[in-house]
Amino acid sequence: MSRRARVSPADAGLPDGGARRRTPGLRREEVAVLAGVGASWYQWLEQGRNISVSPQVLDSVCRVLRMSSAERRHLYVLAGLNPPSLEVERADLHMCEGLGRMIDAWMPYPAHMMDAYWNCVRYNDASASVLGMRPEAQDNCLVMFFTDPLYRSRARSWERNAPQVVAQYRAACSERPEDDGFQEVVARARAASTEFAELWERQDIAPGGVLSKEMEHPLVGPLFFESTHMQVPARPDLIIVLHTPEEGTDTARKLRWLASSEGRRGALYPVAG
């Protein structure tokens, strides 16, 4: 009822009739006509009665009432249906810049941002220094995990983590099974890496979360991280990956040195790996 009250007849393309309306916004009968459902059925829907509801009909109601993606998802939950994935609202597109500033503020620890397909969107200086992220290799993070020789030469935990990484990507694919973008990435990875192809055939699945990583940096030696995947509900199309030094290691100290003027000067000299 509250969503109906905020939509005027003019918003819905209906004449307002000129006379004063007792009902703010649309009447129930008008919503029913515009959504292509019976007036009684729509009244029962508003009253929360135990009726049969289909996703197609709910989508029609959402369209008429101009519901946002979050409101549409909430309506599905109220109706007892499997809720659809959140979509990015135009008003929330600016958040990408704010998340980028958060990644920069994570220094001197590595952090980067990916889209839903794991294409790299942005990374900070520590990710470049430690993980080897660079403009000429700024591609899909799944493909680069298997094919980038610089990353693989530094990732001491690569063999342990590879099955988990593939299982996490399969979990991401399962959220949007009809999305061709995921299938394109999988096809690229399969063509580029027999190791990926073999792991993909296992059909393992695991949620994204915390992953332990051990890197070997050519200047400071071993680095130990907890890599954490994070998402902001308003931007489900973006994934923030934060690397936190593991407790009981000197990783934090080494990262501070790498980010210092002395460490930056040391990185200017050619080093194997």
Side-chain angles (χ1 to χ4, degrees):
M1 291 174 63
S2 66
R3 301 305 90 176
R4 176 164 57 85
R6 71 180 182 180
V7 181
S8 69
D11 292 336
L14 297 174
D16 58 15
R20 180 167 179 156
R21 297 166 61 98
R22 292 190 305 166
T23 303
L26 295 176
R27 299 186 179 98
R28 287 195 182 107
E29 295 80 6
E30 292 169 333
V31 175
V33 170
L34 292 170
V37 299
S40 296
W41 184 92
Y42 179 76
Q43 179 178 350
W44 296 338
L45 178 69
E46 277 198 5
Q47 294 172 344
R49 294 197 187 184
N50 186 19
I51 57 176
S52 177
V53 182
S54 70
Q56 293 77 13
V57 170
L58 282 189
D59 285 344
S60 296
V61 173
C62 291
R63 173 182 52 79
V64 173
L65 298 183
R66 300 191 168 195
M67 291 188 180
S68 67
S69 175
E71 290 169 338
R72 174 176 173 247
R73 182 179 173 85
H74 183 60
L75 182 61
Y76 269 66
V77 172
L78 293 176
L81 297 179
N82 187 33
S85 300
L86 278 172
E87 298 174 0
V88 180
E89 300 291 339
R90 184 177 297 274
D92 294 329
L93 292 176
H94 72 283
M95 287 187 182
C96 186
E97 289 303 313
L99 295 174
R101 289 189 291 271
M102 183 185 73
I103 286 173
D104 292 337
W106 197 250
M107 288 287 296
Y109 306 153
H112 63 278
M113 182 163 54
M114 310 182 295
D115 66 13
Y117 309 115
W118 292 19
N119 294 315
C120 185
V121 175
R122 185 166 173 169
Y123 58 90
N124 65 8
D125 290 344
S127 286
S129 172
V130 175
L131 305 179
M133 290 186 168
R134 55 207 188 277
E136 62 270 25
Q138 187 177 346
D139 194 9
N140 183 271
C141 291
L142 177 70
V143 176
M144 297 307 293
F145 180 88
F146 283 90
T147 63
D148 182 19
L150 177 58
Y151 178 79
R152 292 194 58 164
S153 69
R154 295 185 178 185
R156 294 173 59 174
S157 55
W158 191 93
E159 291 186 358
R160 182 182 76 241
N161 288 341
Q164 184 77 357
V165 168
V166 175
Q168 290 178 353
Y169 198 77
R170 182 178 284 278
C173 293
S174 68
E175 295 291 328
R176 295 156 65 176
E178 304 301 323
D179 193 326
D180 292 338
F182 286 104
Q183 303 310 317
E184 292 176 6
V185 173
V186 171
R188 283 185 56 202
R190 290 175 68 104
S193 170
T194 56
E195 293 164 312
F196 171 84
E198 292 172 359
L199 291 172
W200 187 256
E201 289 304 317
R202 294 185 186 180
Q203 302 197 26
D204 294 337
I205 190 165
V210 177
L211 194 68
S212 294
K213 289 184 180 179
E214 182 179 353
M215 306 295 295
E216 180 71 26
H217 192 276
L219 291 178
V220 297
L223 298 170
F224 302 88
F225 297 101
E226 288 180 346
S227 172
T228 306
H229 282 204
M230 300 179 62
Q231 283 186 284
V232 177
R235 289 303 305 264
D237 58 323
L238 297 176
I239 302 168
I240 301 95
V241 184
L242 304 177
H243 290 75
T244 307
E246 288 191 355
E247 291 188 355
T249 72
D250 60 352
T251 299
R253 179 188 62 79
K254 291 178 178 179
L255 292 173
R256 287 193 295 270
W257 183 84
L258 285 173
S260 69
S261 56
E262 182 183 0
R264 291 177 184 273
R265 285 195 301 270
L268 295 177
Y269 297 94
V271 180

